[in-house]
Amino acid sequence: MALVSSVHKSHYQLRKFVKVVSEMLLCRFGVAITSQSHTIASDASKPEGERTTHSTYDIEDYRSFLTLYRQVGWAKSDKPSLNLEKIVDVLEECSNDLKLRELTSYVRREALPKMKGDAAVVTLRRLDSGGQVLQELDGHEILDAFLNGEVFHPDPKHDKVIEFLGSVGVEVWLQTWLMITNVVLPTLIGCQMVFWAIRHFDILAESDYSPRAFKLWLDLANPTKG
């Protein structure tokens, strides 16, 4: 009886994860960041103020997207937990398939360290007049301040980070670029891989997916079709 209850709980958890991930991937912001280039380019021959070209991000769409992202990429105490790391644990409990283990190992190696802030790629630094670093922030720290200092439940402990970003004139697009390229996009790609694997390895059935989510799964499974 306990085993049946555990399996039911795991499947309920995975169904909720599938639902949230499909909504993330199909929402306007999710479609934008998975399809656009995030390259920053500079052309010294152009007038000052026009030298840098970069992606633009709709901040209101981003705020809306984060209500979904928070469940899989940040929150740890939700019940059931939809945190990507917890979902990977559940998948490995559900199946010993070697191909699935290769996929979960990849997600653990490539996505989870970035999601958790353990693999900073680019940082912002504030230097004193002698070139010494006074403060340094990576994309995970900026995302923490944005999520928990502005978007959801503003916490005064993030005020110093928000003040720093304002005081050094870091443009909103650059803050957003750091959050997306360093943390959000790698996490979203990891979620997409797990979303695909849950059905591919028969852990959930087609009936566990909404029609919209299953169509997304088919598109991921057959990327050259349609």
Side-chain angles (χ1 to χ4, degrees), residues 69-107:
Y69 175 86
R70 177 188 166 280
Q71 297 176 65
V72 299
W74 203 271
K76 296 178 181 177
S77 57
D78 291 352
K79 294 189 182 302
S81 175
L82 305 185
N83 184 281
L84 178 60
E85 185 170 26
K86 297 293 185 185
I87 296 298
V88 168
D89 290 342
V90 170
L91 280 192
E92 292 179 345
E93 291 169 3
C94 289
S95 173
N96 290 319
D97 188 289
L98 292 179
K99 291 295 184 182
L100 175 61
R101 290 303 177 103
E102 287 178 11
L103 183 144
T104 56
S105 294
Y106 180 88
V107 172

Side-chain angles (χ1 to χ4, degrees), residues 42-198:
S42 183
D43 186 346
S45 67
K46 291 185 177 180
E48 191 171 349
E50 300 177 14
R51 293 176 182 173
T52 302
T53 56
H54 54 80
S55 296
T56 56
Y57 306 102
D58 187 304
I59 298 303
E60 290 309 311
D61 280 356
Y62 184 38
R63 285 174 175 269
S64 177
F65 169 86
L66 286 175
T67 62
L68 298 167
Y69 175 86
R70 177 188 166 280
Q71 297 176 65
V72 299
W74 203 271
K76 296 178 181 177
S77 57
D78 291 352
K79 294 189 182 302
S81 175
L82 305 185
N83 184 281
L84 178 60
E85 185 170 26
K86 297 293 185 185
I87 296 298
V88 168
D89 290 342
V90 170
L91 280 192
E92 292 179 345
E93 291 169 3
C94 289
S95 173
N96 290 319
D97 188 289
L98 292 179
K99 291 295 184 182
L100 175 61
R101 290 303 177 103
E102 287 178 11
L103 183 144
T104 56
S105 294
Y106 180 88
V107 172
R108 288 189 186 281
R109 184 175 68 251
E110 299 296 330
L112 293 185
K114 298 180 179 72
M115 182 186 87
K116 296 160 68 177
D118 296 333
V121 179
V122 180
T123 60
L124 291 176
R125 293 179 176 178
R126 179 169 64 173
L127 309 178
D128 64 17
S129 57
Q132 296 297 310
V133 177
L134 295 174
Q135 191 167 7
E136 185 172 26
L137 294 173
D138 60 34
H140 191 269
E141 291 166 319
I142 297 171
L143 179 59
D144 186 13
F146 189 62
L147 268 175
N148 301 311
E150 291 191 31
V151 177
F152 292 110
H153 42 80
D155 188 328
K157 75 178 184 180
H158 298 290
D159 288 351
K160 287 187 177 180
V161 172
I162 295 169
E163 289 170 9
F164 162 68
L165 293 170
S167 68
V168 296
V170 180
E171 295 182 69
V172 172
W173 74 262
L174 181 54
Q175 296 178 38
T176 310
W177 178 85
L178 278 166
M179 290 185 272
I180 289 171
T181 58
N182 282 211
V183 186
V184 174
L185 191 55
T187 304
L188 187 58
I189 291 170
C191 287
Q192 179 176 290
M193 293 177 70
V194 170
F195 172 90
W196 172 83
I198 289 170

